[in-house]
Amino acid sequence: MSDVRHVLVLPDRDAADEAVEALRERFGVREELRVVRDALAGEDDAEDAQWLVPVRDAEERLDAAELDALAGEWEGWREEP
């Protein structure tokens, strides 16, 4: 079993919550997904934050291009940590 992870980076909390629901519905992700606030370096304003959704993909069944498209629906993107 590998330790593949993806991180969806989204512009706000609502987008992150919607992406979590989409991951469950469209991709059948059953793990407990957490939404994490990531303040940008040097920024004090709460609006200057990104919201992250880390997704563990131990079985490597999630397609990176499909995750890219999913994040793009909310003007976000996918990163590999």
Side-chain angles (χ1 to χ4, degrees):
M1 187 181 289
S2 71
D3 190 29
V4 174
R5 294 176 190 259
H6 306 278
V7 177
L8 301 185
V9 181
L10 299 148
D12 59 53
R13 177 64 192 244
D14 289 339
D17 288 338
E18 290 175 21
V20 165
E21 287 305 311
L23 284 164
R24 289 184 179 130
E25 292 173 10
R26 296 185 208 173
F27 296 95
V29 173
R30 296 291 169 234
E31 73 176 85
E32 185 66 31
L33 297 172
R34 297 180 324 142
V35 174
V36 180
R37 182 179 181 272
D38 183 37
L40 300 176
E43 298 294 335
D44 294 329
D45 190 348
E47 290 187 23
D48 291 327
Q50 298 170 329
W51 292 86
L52 311 178
V53 179
V55 182
R56 190 170 150 265
D57 187 17
E59 297 170 3
E60 298 184 42
R61 63 180 194 83
L62 299 174
D63 181 73
E66 289 180 18
L67 291 174
D68 287 336
L70 176 79
E73 291 177 24
W74 292 278
E75 299 181 11
W77 64 90
R78 179 190 58 88
E79 289 187 358
E80 295 179 28

